[in-house]
Amino acid sequence: MIVNIPLVLAVLVAAWLLFVLVRYVRYDRETRASVRQAMRVRYGWDRLAKMTGLSVTDKTPTLIAGMLAQKGETPPPRVLVPKIKVIPDRYGVIVRAKCLPKVGLEEFQKSARFLADAWRCTRVSVLPDGPGRVVVRGVRLDPLTLPTMHVPTGFPPYDITAWDLGIDEYADDVVLSLANVAGVCIAGLPGTGKTSTLNRLICDFGPSDAVQFAVADGKVSTSQEGDYADLRSRLFAFAGDDLGEANELFKRLVRLRRSRSSAIRGVLGTKNMWNCGPSEIWPLTILIIDEAHTYFRDYKGNDAETKQLAKLSAENARLVEDLVKKGRSVGMMVILTTQKATGDAIPTFIRDVCALGLSFAQKTTEAAVAALGDDIRNWPDANPVNLQDPAYVGVASMSLQGREGFTRVRTPQVSDADAARIAEATSHLTLDPAAFLDCYPGPIDWKPSFADDPDMTTDTLA
């Protein structure tokens, strides 16, 4: 049997082209634009690299060139450019390049603005991608101006310590590590995305029995009101804007913190819960204090009611300080939100020990500095004062762990229907985290010990 090789090759090429065409048609409009952009980048790279100084002259002839050269002639030098691989996505292109001698990370970073112009990108970043490699991220669409929606899966997170916030200005995922974090401070003008960010946190972590939530919401009076009404069934405790009610909640959590501190070695066999991680037996306990200034206000006056409010406010600050400063090792975390994180809203002895800080839009540099620290003055592009445009609702500035400077992050929204769906589906996981301390008097081997109470059985625990 004679095989027509040209015909076979033609069929294979036609099949490949059909596959590429079908895939291109199935992309959304923005991804198709990025595919076309990737083609321009790929086929124009050799010329552009030489124009922007991303090339090097190699005067040493190759072995073949030396063999083919006429006697007495020297082969002409070669101009080398880094080899690249281009991957398109909805926002632009990702270019991975191999470095050459004298063409490395620093040279790519210096040429970033020229690459942005040539590739018609909003911005270009250059980061190391391993030894001898760089990754160039070019965004054609600004991810910060495109509102996004998040649909919770309803499944427990793969990593209970990873808080997925959203995407940064280069459309890269921003994930915060919650391990060994006792305090988070979130600031921003009303309606800029603070509570929506926390709703996503509850929806993403709610399906896990290794996390329990309590909320003090200074905007409402009861749990049936406000932003957490749909999530109420997934909260083991709730307090409204009444200072006395919040005071009781804070006292309850401080008692839990003290009980955990006394029991942790006996129950977990370690002095730091994060050495073994959260579990159903010892869940990560997150206290959300929304509009925290409600509970720490400095009341002035000599009448009995004002004095009582001032006393409660001062005690609230002392109790929350206890949780933020001493709750890390026993698996307790406090997230405080406020409009302006100055000392009169959140006492500095609480705010300044919070390991993580985010700020949505602010009106003044003073408010930005209060939320993010004085170093934000050195990063004017990331200053939350620039986020007041309605297009930036849901965008926050923050200092990322392990990254220099400040980064802007687009946080997605979660619909009320999805929040209610997750809360209803996971309500059976809601439990007071103090419930297990009495049941596990010794080191956990994942089976309860009944040595001290022979009448107790597993049915009693259930």
Side-chain angles (χ1 to χ4, degrees):
M1 180 179 179
I2 299 176
V3 178
N4 190 332
I5 295 179
L7 179 61
V8 172
L9 292 176
V11 171
L12 292 176
V13 171
W16 178 77
L17 291 175
L18 179 62
F19 170 76
V20 172
L21 179 61
V22 171
R23 185 175 61 175
Y24 176 80
V25 172
R26 293 183 64 182
Y27 284 141
D28 61 74
R29 178 181 177 182
E30 299 301 340
T31 305
R32 289 198 296 268
S34 294
V35 170
R36 297 192 297 270
Q37 180 188 27
M39 294 176 63
R40 292 195 302 271
V41 170
R42 188 179 295 111
Y43 295 114
W45 172 244
D46 189 77
R47 181 184 179 190
L48 178 61
K50 295 174 182 177
M51 294 173 62
T52 55
L54 297 177
S55 63
V56 63
T57 301
D58 185 1
K59 297 181 180 181
T60 303
T62 63
L63 178 61
I64 295 178
M67 294 174 61
L68 296 177
Q70 298 294 329
K71 187 176 181 180
E73 292 183 355
T74 301
R78 296 176 301 149
V79 178
L80 305 179
V81 300
K83 294 181 179 180
I84 64 170
K85 180 179 180 181
V86 187
I87 303 173
D89 62 16
R90 187 172 186 270
Y91 298 97
V93 292
I94 300 172
V95 180
R96 300 187 184 278
K98 293 183 178 180
C99 299
L100 295 172
K102 297 185 178 181
V103 182
L105 176 63
E106 185 177 350
E107 286 69 32
F108 271 95
Q109 290 175 335
K110 289 180 179 178
S111 300
R113 60 191 181 97
F114 303 122
L115 298 178
D117 293 337
W119 294 346
R120 303 172 193 173
C121 290
T122 302
R123 63 178 71 92
V124 165
S125 74
V126 181
L127 296 172
D129 192 34
R133 296 176 180 272
V134 297
V135 57
V136 184
R137 177 50 159 151
V139 289
R140 180 178 46 80
L141 293 175
D142 187 351
L144 299 179
T145 61
L146 300 176
T148 55
M149 294 294 297
H150 174 67
V151 180
T153 64
F155 295 103
Y158 175 77
D159 184 357
I160 204 66
T161 67
W163 181 7
D164 188 353
L165 271 182
I167 57 175
D168 67 10
E169 51 212 289
Y170 296 101
D172 292 329
D173 292 333
V174 175
V175 180
L176 300 181
S177 174
L178 298 182
N180 285 296
V181 171
V184 181
C185 183
I186 303 177
L189 297 173
T192 53
K194 301 187 298 296
T195 302
S196 178
T197 300
L198 297 178
N199 281 347
R200 180 189 178 180
L201 174 67
I202 297 175
C203 288
D204 284 351
F205 282 68
S208 173
D209 57 10
V211 185
Q212 297 294 342
F213 299 93
V215 169
D217 188 356
K219 301 188 299 293
V220 299
S221 298
T222 67
S223 61
Q224 286 73 37
E225 305 170 7
D227 299 302
Y228 299 95
D230 295 321
L231 297 167
R232 179 64 183 90
S233 60
R234 191 56 184 91
L235 311 177
F236 76 86
F238 182 92
D241 57 1
D242 182 83
L243 265 63
E245 183 182 4
N247 186 261
E248 289 301 317
L249 173 59
F250 299 155
K251 286 180 178 178
R252 175 180 173 183
L253 289 171
V254 168
R255 287 195 298 269
L256 172 64
R257 198 276 306 162
R258 290 173 177 169
S259 297
R260 282 189 166 189
S261 295
S262 300
I264 188 168
R265 283 185 180 272
V267 176
L268 299 182
T270 179
K271 62 181 180 181
N272 188 343
M273 182 277 289
W274 293 106
N275 291 334
C276 54
S279 64
E280 179 186 7
I281 307 303
W282 197 287
L284 170 62
T285 303
I286 300 177
L287 168 63
I288 296 172
I289 308 179
D290 206 339
E291 302 296 344
H293 51 270
T294 303
Y295 307 107
F296 307 133
R297 178 182 170 185
D298 186 15
Y299 287 89
K300 303 292 185 181
N302 293 321
D303 59 284
E305 182 179 0
T306 302
K307 287 183 177 180
Q308 178 62 19
L309 291 174
K311 179 182 178 181
L312 288 172
S313 180
E315 188 174 16
N316 287 341
R318 179 181 60 80
L319 294 170
V320 173
E321 178 189 15
D322 179 283
L323 294 173
V324 173
K325 290 184 176 180
K326 302 177 182 179
R328 175 189 59 82
S329 62
V330 296
M332 301 185 70
M333 183 173 69
V334 181
I335 303 178
L336 305 105
T337 80
T338 187
Q339 298 173 21
K340 186 177 177 183
T342 49
D344 57 338
I346 299 179
T348 56
F349 54 79
I350 296 176
R351 182 197 68 192
D352 292 347
V353 294
C354 289
L356 300 176
L358 293 79
S359 180
F360 292 84
Q362 296 286 1
K363 279 197 171 183
T364 66
T365 300
E366 176 195 16
V369 170
L372 301 174
D374 195 65
D375 193 39
I376 188 62
R377 299 180 189 272
N378 300 322
W379 301 84
D381 290 343
N383 196 315
V385 172
N386 301 323
L387 301 178
Q388 297 183 59
D389 190 290
Y392 291 115
V393 171
V395 177
S397 292
M398 65 175 303
S399 177
L400 288 180
Q401 299 153 323
R403 187 183 297 187
E404 183 184 10
F406 292 84
T407 301
R408 293 175 295 175
V409 182
R410 158 62 66 180
T411 62
Q413 288 186 317
V414 176
S415 70
D416 293 340
D418 282 331
R421 170 177 60 85
I422 295 297
E424 181 179 0
T426 62
S427 60
H428 65 284
L429 301 176
T430 305
L431 189 67
D432 188 338
F436 287 106
L437 288 179
D438 294 334
C439 299
Y440 289 85
I444 290 180
D445 57 1
W446 308 112
K447 294 181 181 179
S449 172
F450 307 120
D452 296 333
D453 188 351
D455 296 329
M456 183 176 286
T457 65
T458 52
D459 292 334
T460 307
L461 286 177

